[in-house]
C-alpha cells in the first residue's frame, strides 16, 4: 500500500475516532454522570454556551491575543539575532 493511501486511511480513522468520541461516547458519559447532568442543566437554565466563551469578540480577548502575538514575534526576532551572532 502506498504511503499516501496509508496516510489518508490514518486521517480517516482519526476523523471517525474523534466523531465517535464526541458524538457517541461523550453524550453517554454525560447521561451516566450526575455532576455533568447538573452542569448541563445549569448551562441550559442560564442560557450559557461554554464553548462560545473561547470564541468571543470581547475587546480584552482581542487585545490579549495581539499582545501575545507581538511578544512571540519579538522573542523570535531576538532569538534569530542571537543565533546570527554566534
Amino acid at each position: 500500500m502506498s504511503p499516501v493511501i496509508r496516510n489518508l486511511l490514518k486521517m480517516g480513522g482519526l476523523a471517525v475516532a474523534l466523531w465517535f468520541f464526541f458524538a457517541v461516547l461523550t453524550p453517554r458519559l454525560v447521561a451516566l454522570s450526575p455532576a455533568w447532568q447538573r452542569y448541563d442543566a445549569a448551562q441550559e437554565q442560564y442560557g450559557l454556551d461554554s464553548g462560545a466563551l473561547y470564541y468571543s469578540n470581547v475587546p480584552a480577548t482581542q487585545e490579549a491575543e495581539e499582545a501575545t502575538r507581538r511578544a512571540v514575534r519579538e522573542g523570535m526576532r531576538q532569538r534569530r539575532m542571537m543565533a546570527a551572532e554566534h
Side-chain angles (χ1 to χ4, degrees):
M1 182 180 308
S2 76
V4 173
I5 292 177
R6 188 177 12 224
N7 287 337
L8 287 174
L9 288 174
K10 284 181 187 177
M11 187 173 65
L14 180 61
V16 169
L18 287 171
W19 170 82
F20 180 79
F21 179 78
F22 287 108
V24 177
L25 187 61
T26 303
R28 289 182 191 238
L29 291 174
V30 169
L32 295 173
S33 170
W36 284 354
Q37 289 173 357
R38 284 193 301 276
Y39 177 74
D40 190 42
Q43 283 193 72
E44 289 181 22
Q45 178 183 358
Y46 296 109
L48 301 174
D49 183 8
S50 59
L53 296 176
Y54 300 103
Y55 303 103
S56 64
N57 60 356
V58 176
T61 305
Q62 174 106 21
E63 291 168 8
E65 179 184 351
E66 290 170 355
T68 301
R69 286 180 188 268
R70 281 192 303 271
V72 169
R73 285 186 187 122
E74 178 62 22
M76 292 305 292
R77 186 186 68 76
Q78 288 178 4
R79 187 174 185 182
R80 282 191 296 271
M81 287 176 50
M82 290 180 68
E85 291 175 1
H86 289 104

